[in-house]
Amino acid sequence: MERYLTKMPIKSKANEVPKKEAFAKKETPKVARKATKTDTPKELKDKENAGDDNTPKQTKGRPGRPAAKRKNLDTPDVKDEKIAMEEENPPKRRSSRLTRSTRSMAEDGSPSPEKEKPEKLPFIKYKGAIKYFTESQDIAASADDVLQWVEKQKDDVVPMAFDMEWPFSFQTGPGKSSVIQICVDEKCCYIYQLTNVKKLPAALVALINHPKVRLHGVNIKNDFRKLARDFPEVTAEPLIEKCVDLGLWCNEVCETGGRWSLERLTNFIAKKAMDKSKKVRMSKWHVIPLDENQLMYAAIDVYIGQVIYRELERREKVKIKNEEEFKEKNGDAAFKAMKTLGETFLTKINEVTL
């Protein structure tokens, strides 16, 4: 028993001492490793860059960036200085825009062109007659009447608006030419539906090839090429040689540029808007009979074409007259100088200072 009791304290003391030593041994390596880690060159470099900054450091992964290199950490004083500098020296782009707007308001008393709202134009209202034919013999009789009217005219040139319509499918593409519209007088438009026509009537072919007739339209040359593909009795080249593309003619008379659609040309020349409904434009033009919306759509296309032709013809005459008067009064050199400055001579110049 005594033997047992004497051994117990010895065993417990032996157990206690190693625990303290183990505990001390665990703490010592930690401190030593921490000291060695902080003494690495990388950490010393970070400390030098950071200076005396007390910003929190990252404990895992990538070490924290120095405060001098971090974004969005400007003090209120620094932010105020930046705002003041921007107000004193605003960006060039903003400055030019403000200057242009201010200049235009000071000179014209109105906002700059960038802020002007587009002009709302009234829609075209056609109140003339629409003569609609679907059978070959009726088309031939109508074309013959128009041909006789053309021959009675005293003018050497008789303008005739020309346009075509055909169905279109996204699966099969454009269909056969289905409708031809013509207009020689703004009070009457002719609509010829070709669905039941296997061959174009000779009177209609003679009408569009008549030497006095000047066919005109927008992108009209492609219409002639398609008509020739669908009806072999028509030859496209003679029609293309004598036709007038209203868009190209507008560029010559008004000295504009670019490609024109009938809708844009109507806005620019006639100061009218067209109701180009996609539902009507993409409708079934080969189905007989055409409804009222289709007939009005087809008639307006050639009616406004005739109106545009007459207006361009008038402007061309005014331009030629003004140019001749200016040359007689000021000479060719002054005329060339004015053309260089962009003068179109569509309006008469009373006084010229060179």
Side-chain angles (χ1 to χ4, degrees), residues 75-145:
T75 60
D77 296 336
V78 175
K79 288 182 179 179
D80 293 340
E81 290 180 4
K82 287 185 178 181
I83 294 171
M85 290 178 66
E86 288 182 358
E87 290 178 355
E88 292 177 1
N89 301 313
K92 290 185 178 180
R93 185 177 299 173
R94 192 195 319 169
S95 175
S96 61
R97 186 179 293 115
L98 292 173
T99 305
R100 182 167 59 251
S101 177
T102 307
R103 190 190 311 120
S104 62
M105 293 178 67
E107 293 176 357
D108 304 330
S110 60
S112 60
E114 294 93 340
K115 297 183 180 180
E116 289 182 359
K117 295 182 179 180
E119 183 182 1
K120 291 185 178 179
L121 301 174
F123 284 100
I124 301 168
K125 294 182 179 179
Y126 176 67
K127 299 180 180 180
I130 300 176
K131 296 185 178 182
Y132 170 48
F133 304 96
T134 59
E135 300 299 326
S136 181
Q137 55 191 8
D138 296 334
I139 295 173
S142 174
D144 187 64
D145 292 341

Side-chain angles (χ1 to χ4, degrees), residues 126-185:
Y126 176 67
K127 299 180 180 180
I130 300 176
K131 296 185 178 182
Y132 170 48
F133 304 96
T134 59
E135 300 299 326
S136 181
Q137 55 191 8
D138 296 334
I139 295 173
S142 174
D144 187 64
D145 292 341
V146 178
L147 184 61
Q148 292 180 14
W149 181 87
V150 168
E151 291 178 346
K152 291 179 182 178
Q153 301 304 307
K154 296 179 180 179
D155 297 331
D156 295 334
V157 175
V158 178
M160 184 170 74
F162 181 94
D163 196 18
M164 290 171 50
E165 308 292 344
W166 55 82
F168 181 85
S169 172
F170 289 102
Q171 288 76 24
T172 60
K176 188 177 180 181
S177 301
S178 302
V179 177
I180 288 179
Q181 313 102 275
I182 61 173
C183 178
V184 291
D185 185 4

Side-chain angles (χ1 to χ4, degrees), residues 202-214:
L204 181 57
V205 177
L207 174 62
I208 61 178
N209 284 284
H210 196 279
K212 290 179 68 174
V213 171
R214 178 176 290 176

Side-chain angles (χ1 to χ4, degrees), residues 174-234:
K176 188 177 180 181
S177 301
S178 302
V179 177
I180 288 179
Q181 313 102 275
I182 61 173
C183 178
V184 291
D185 185 4
E186 289 88 335
K187 297 179 180 179
C188 183
C189 296
Y190 297 86
I191 312 296
Y192 300 143
Q193 194 168 10
L194 309 176
T195 304
N196 294 336
V197 176
K198 295 182 180 180
K199 183 179 180 181
L200 282 185
L204 181 57
V205 177
L207 174 62
I208 61 178
N209 284 284
H210 196 279
K212 290 179 68 174
V213 171
R214 178 176 290 176
L215 298 171
H216 61 82
V218 177
N219 200 21
I220 191 173
K221 296 179 181 180
N222 288 335
D223 288 347
F224 292 144
R225 293 187 181 100
K226 178 166 177 54
L227 185 64
R229 287 194 300 268
D230 295 339
F231 294 94
E233 56 269 21
V234 176

Side-chain angles (χ1 to χ4, degrees), residues 45 74 96 176 222 268 296 352:
K45 188 174 181 180
D74 293 336
S96 61
K176 188 177 180 181
N222 288 335
F268 180 66
M296 182 58 68
V352 178

